Amino acid sequence: MIKKKDHKKAWIGLLAAAAVLVLVGVLDNLPGSVVPTMLLTVLQKGAIYALVAVSMNLLNGFTGLFSLGQAGFMLLGAYTYAVITIPVERQASVYQRYAGTVENVGTGISVTQSLGGAMGQFGVLLGVVLCLILAGCVAGVFAWLIGLPVLKLKSDYLAIATLGFAEIIRAVVQYEKLGPLTNGSNLLYGFTGFADFHLGSLKLTTVMPFLFSGICIFIIVLLINSTYGRAFKAIRDDEIAAEAMGINLAKHKRMSFIISSFFAGVSGALLAMFQASVQATAFKAAMTYEILLIVVIGGIGSVTGSVVASFLFVGCSEWWLRFLDNETVLGNFGAKVRFAVVLGVVVAAAAALGLWRMKRTGKKLVARSEHGQRTVNWGAVLALALCAAVLIWDIWFVVSPNLRVPLLRSGFRMVVFSVVIMIVVLFFRQGLFGDRELWELGRRKRSAKAKAGAGNE
């Protein structure tokens, strides 16, 4: 029975993945007047961030190692992919700053150009796959090297060490002596990107990041459900007990670290393909914090949570809240009322969702202990007070004669985005999914109800 259920889940998952790819392909080929360009941008970047978030979750959530070096491994993957896929005839112009100072600049080869010239579009695809694997391998080799001393550290010390490694790598890449290969602090561009994939007139610009990320995430899921994955979880839960059961802690920690770094390198190469350019200054610590934020919001130990949170994060930061950066003057009183109603509904829905979540988890704003002492959940109180303040301001805005929406200016988007994240973290302490997967959300609730019914009988 268990095997049949597993096969059924596998087929459902494959059919769902195929349906997503077909839907993305349709969106990719619809006219620009029908599908917003930002939607395709969010889908592409969200798929890439989903991969790096899942790879970070493998290390932080499933193995219990707190690493902050993802940006460094992404940088290694991005630069590895870029330098071996720039067309040979364009390397002189890309490395023009160093072309006159040294005899040879660049690598002098282009894997995708060579295979594409010999095998056409299939050769380009094969070359990209090989370069992605090589990008992951370079990141994995560096992870193995720094993992030898660094993985002896624990908790915050490991995080600080890996963060320092990422900063060192970013500085080394910009070193002038490596300029003929990395182009120093200048842009690398002209390499093969997602826009180069097509089947005749059929565009695959958005399909390819979904395909590459989906395959990598599928491999990570297989690893998590294997004996190695169970060993990772045992180390996370209790290192002493895991070692007593015969698990080699050093070996499995190193393995988790290398595999996570490998897929971070692949995601860095995918990010380079998406941006069509690479520059070391983009891979700062802030990028690692964004990925960590995605993992925390989705749920530490949840693969589907990281995937869903990636698209939500990219959508909010890149698209849905962007209007907050522009000063807005509403056309008339009716437009002002519509704006106020939408804002009020969103804020009220957020407050209702938070209260429902607290009720579902058995939490209260003011809890009374067995000894009669009261404990106030100040985080929830602050979030509700903030929602109430926004609703009061919303009513005042409707009554006032002003048609200019206040506070909307450059930078306000990130303020609102930070407040939204704060509310989510306050109400969902374990993230949106916790340590569960998407298909497990309702099952645990039903089992709890069944146990309660059995107890009443």
Side-chain angles (χ1 to χ4, degrees):
M1 281 299 286
I2 296 177
K3 291 185 177 180
K4 289 183 178 179
K5 288 182 179 180
D6 290 341
H7 285 306
K8 185 178 179 181
K9 288 180 181 178
W11 281 110
I12 292 175
L14 289 175
L15 291 175
V20 170
L21 285 177
V22 171
L23 177 60
V24 171
V26 171
L27 293 175
D28 219 2
N29 290 273
L30 288 175
S33 58
V34 178
V35 180
T37 305
M38 283 304 302
L39 173 61
L40 300 179
T41 301
V42 168
L43 290 176
Q44 294 172 26
K45 191 173 181 180
I48 297 168
Y49 268 52
L51 172 58
V52 67
V54 171
S55 71
M56 191 176 195
N57 213 342
L58 171 66
L59 188 63
N60 291 22
F62 290 96
T63 314
L65 299 177
F66 188 29
S67 170
L68 291 177
Q70 299 304 105
F73 296 117
M74 290 179 69
L75 182 148
L76 288 171
Y79 269 82
T80 301
Y81 175 85
V83 298
I84 61 176
T85 57
I86 299 175
V88 177
E89 64 274 10
R90 297 195 62 179
Q91 291 183 8
S93 61
V94 173
Y95 294 92
Q96 57 182 332
R97 179 178 175 182
Y98 303 94
T101 58
V102 295
E103 183 178 352
N104 296 316
V105 291
T107 58
I109 60 171
S110 175
V111 177
T112 54
Q113 184 185 36
S114 301
L115 293 177
M119 305 170 65
Q121 187 67 20
F122 176 75
V124 175
L125 175 61
L126 179 61
V128 167
V129 172
L130 292 176
C131 293
L132 289 177
I133 294 174
L134 182 58
C137 289
V138 170
V141 169
F142 274 85
W144 177 77
L145 289 174
I146 71 164
L148 293 175
V150 165
L151 290 179
K152 297 178 182 179
L153 304 174
K154 293 183 179 180
S155 188
D156 298 341
Y157 300 101
L158 176 61
I160 294 171
T162 51
L163 181 63
F165 156 76
E167 292 298 313
I168 292 172
I169 287 295
R170 186 163 62 88
V172 169
V173 166
Q174 299 179 82
Y175 182 49
E176 284 297 318
K177 296 294 184 180
L178 295 177
L181 180 63
T182 64
N183 211 21
S185 58
N186 304 303
L187 282 173
L188 284 176
Y189 57 91
F191 46 82
T192 306
F194 293 132
D196 297 318
F197 289 99
H198 56 83
L199 290 175
S201 59
L202 185 66
K203 294 188 296 184
L204 300 175
T205 307
T206 310
V207 174
M208 299 314 295
F210 270 80
L211 181 62
F212 290 138
S213 297
I215 292 174
C216 293
I217 292 174
F218 178 69
I219 295 173
I220 294 175
V221 171
L222 291 180
L223 175 66
I224 291 172
N225 294 323
S226 68
T227 54
Y228 291 107
R230 288 192 284 273
F232 294 159
K233 295 175 185 177
I235 294 173
R236 174 196 64 188
D237 294 336
D238 193 327
E239 289 190 9
I240 298 176
E243 190 173 21
M245 293 172 62
I247 296 175
N248 189 325
L249 296 184
K251 174 186 174 182
H252 285 83
K253 284 183 179 180
R254 193 180 306 118
M255 182 185 300
S256 177
F257 190 58
I258 293 173
I259 293 173
S260 174
S261 303
F262 172 88
F263 287 109
V266 173
S267 64
L270 293 176
L271 186 63
M273 296 176 68
F274 164 72
Q275 295 176 338
S277 63
V278 176
Q279 193 170 21
T281 53
F283 296 88
K284 295 181 179 180
M287 179 177 288
T288 299
Y289 299 149
E290 289 180 354
I291 300 165
L292 179 62
L293 183 61
I294 291 173
V295 173
V296 172
I297 291 176
I300 298 178
S302 173
V303 173
T304 50
S306 296
V307 174
V308 172
S310 298
F311 287 99
L312 292 177
F313 176 86
V314 175
C316 287
S317 60
E318 299 287 343
W319 186 18
W320 300 328
L321 300 179
R322 189 166 289 276
F323 72 95
L324 297 173
D325 282 343
N326 303 318
E327 291 189 2
T328 303
V329 179
L330 301 174
N332 49 49
F333 180 76
K336 182 167 72 168
V337 171
R338 288 192 296 270
F339 172 83
V341 169
V342 171
L343 179 61
V345 169
V346 170
V347 174
L353 178 62
L355 292 173
W356 171 80
R357 176 74 176 179
M358 290 181 61
K359 181 179 179 181
R360 186 170 178 267
T361 54
K363 297 179 181 179
K364 297 180 180 180
L365 291 177
V366 180
R368 188 182 295 274
S369 64
E370 297 178 356
H371 303 288
Q373 297 179 345
R374 293 183 178 182
T375 304
V376 180
N377 189 342
W378 289 109
V381 170
L382 178 62
L384 289 176
L386 182 62
C387 292
V390 174
L391 289 176
I392 293 173
W393 172 87
D394 196 33
I395 296 173
W396 171 84
F397 178 65
V398 174
V399 176
S400 68
N402 189 16
L403 292 177
R404 182 184 296 274
V405 180
L407 300 179
L408 297 190
R409 63 196 65 182
S410 178
F412 187 64
R413 168 174 60 100
M414 297 310 299
V415 175
V416 175
F417 185 55
S418 302
V419 172
V420 171
I421 291 174
M422 182 180 67
I423 293 175
V424 171
V425 172
L426 287 174
F427 281 113
F428 297 86
R429 295 292 180 88
Q430 296 181 339
L432 297 176
F433 287 36
D435 59 350
R436 295 167 292 173
E437 303 298 342
L438 181 62
W439 52 85
E440 296 175 344
L441 294 179
R443 185 191 307 170
R444 188 170 295 185
K445 183 178 178 181
R446 287 195 297 270
S447 62
K449 286 185 176 181
K451 289 180 182 179
N456 292 333
E457 291 177 0

